[in-house]
Amino acid sequence: MPEKAYQRGLVWLRNDLRVADNTALYRAGKGCKAVAAIFIACPQTWRSHGDGDNVVAMRLRSLRQLQAALEKKHIPLYFLECPEFSNTPGLLSQIVEKLQVDALFANAEYPVNELARDQSVRERLKQQGVPVEYSTDRTLIPPGSLTTGSGDGFKVFTPFKRAFISQHDNSGEAFAPLPSPRAHGADHGDQWPEWIALDGNSNLVRRIPDTVGDYGLAPGGEKKVLDWSAGESAGTRALKNFAEIIGDYARWRDFPAQENTSRLSPYLNCGAVSVRQCVAMALAENGGRWAGSNEGASTWLDEILWREFYQHLVVNFPRVCRNKPFKPETEKVPWSNRSEDFERWCEGRTGVPIVDAAMRQLNQTGWMHNRLRMVVASFLTKNLLTDWRKGEHYFMQQLVDADFAANNGGWQWAASTGTDAAPYFRVFNPYSQSKRFDPEGEFIRAYVPELASLSDRDIHCPPREGTSADLFAQDGYPAPICDVTDSRKRAIEVFANLKS
Ligand SMILES: Cc1cc2nc3c(=O)[nH]c(=O)nc-3n(C[C@H](O)[C@H](O)[C@H](O)COP(=O)(O)OP(=O)(O)OC[C@H]3O[C@@H](n4cnc5c(N)ncnc54)[C@H](O)[C@@H]3O)c2cc1C
């Protein structure tokens, strides 16, 4: 695109809520004399996708911060609410006409409904002669561009990673973050109206409201995510802080009490931080290599590639977006789906301390450590033989970092229904995981105070009534919901039977 090819450009922001290293914003700044931005909230679609209050609150709080940052650059940010994605082509068509926009810029999103929405917008605006440019920004490379020798999308992580690194090692500059758009003159901001009326009772305004659909978003109203500062400044701070400890990541990342992971997921998912900024930081710590001499940075870059892998997967295998297992034969698993089991799992009352501590961490903070996500997902789907989709939905509802691709990928992995799935006979033993990764019970004590006085040994599996250790039986803490050995056997049989 030649410099300043257009008079007026509109940037449609979605989950890319930052000024720095934002490809759509950068390209609009380069290609247009005047730039405005828009965010369209679609609460009905968000609900139907399972987005819970926490992730939406994080998104909207980050948006407020972004609006202030853009204003400093004299780029107005408009806000619009409409029920569903399907409303966006018609509304954008009116908006580009009323704002006299010459081109629309956005960063691509990949789940099927998002792709379909973006395609409809492109077709609709084409009729008005307004080009729409979608950029690669949420991922490092365009999904679909990395394929096996036979031209298919990768189904297994390790070959995907090998192919990625062989093509991109020592090419850090390809992922170098882009500069922020320069500030426009004060008169630039004045070229855009304060608000415009659209057909069907909706208005385009410059104020982000306190409620969107039935999401109550008044600042301070989101109890569970209060610990999470929102926005680009908080995300940038988290990235900087993590750079200080990345060298220890390989050693401590699996220990939930250590708080040694980056906790960048909420920022990556609403786009307050970009994946390129993460990669630039880690490559700088790793001599510019994906697999370099800093073991912590190399291991962390692997996790960034897991994120990339799952984003590519939804494009290569869109059936995972349709509530379907990746492996069709696992559609026949006879899930027991006992509602009491599910409720106790959700509430952190299974009687298995590490599972309960993890679920309470989720319920109280909107986040859960990765090791524990694997443990609780395995426990729900294997030991309690509950359909992975119920757990997937509950996570979407609770997580402040809820992301369809990573969440679906993680759940299907744990349930052995997905690509790269854990083989069905590998079932996490929650007690061994607990002893190994929370050896002194520090994490359990933090979230299950009823058990705080138990010894480091007993806390993983509290002694039950009738045993000599009954003296220490704790405050109404429930008996285990199932016997992990028997339930493991049952799960393996169920999956083995699918083969016959
Ligand atoms: C059942 C299950 C559900 C999950 N649901 C989500 C979800 O909704 N949103 C989400 O962002 N992650 C999800 N994950 C992946 C992972 O647990 C989180 O990304 C991680 O715990 C976030 O913490 P962090 O930022 O400190 O991670 P770090 O360990 O610091 O990793 C850095 C980044 O790499 C990415 N990443 C790390 N591990 C994974 C992984 N296994 N899959 C994909 N990306 C990864 C994340 O973007 C993360 O922020 C899920 C995993 C499982 C097993």
Side-chain angles (χ1 to χ4, degrees), residues 249 261-265 269 300 303 370 373 401 403 407:
Y249 180 77
T261 68
S262 69
R263 297 193 173 221
L264 277 162
S265 49
N269 287 333
W300 196 68
E303 298 306 312
N370 179 59
R373 295 188 201 205
D401 67 13
D403 169 70
N407 194 40

Side-chain angles (χ1 to χ4, degrees), residues 129-167:
V130 176
V132 180
E133 181 185 286
Y134 295 117
S135 300
T136 303
D137 186 81
R138 195 161 177 79
T139 52
L140 292 163
I141 56 173
S145 64
L146 190 65
T147 53
T148 62
S150 50
D152 300 323
F154 283 93
K155 295 178 182 170
V156 180
F157 174 70
T158 307
F160 170 86
K161 172 182 139 184
R162 262 194 232 115
F164 184 95
I165 293 181
S166 78
Q167 289 182 22

Side-chain angles (χ1 to χ4, degrees), residues 85-86 88-90 113-127 134:
F85 278 0
S86 58
T88 53
N113 293 342
E114 281 75 356
L115 281 175
R117 171 199 63 191
D118 290 353
Q119 184 58 24
S120 308
V121 167
R122 192 201 288 279
E123 281 161 17
R124 183 71 179 252
L125 297 201
K126 194 172 168 202
Q127 294 165 15
Y134 295 117

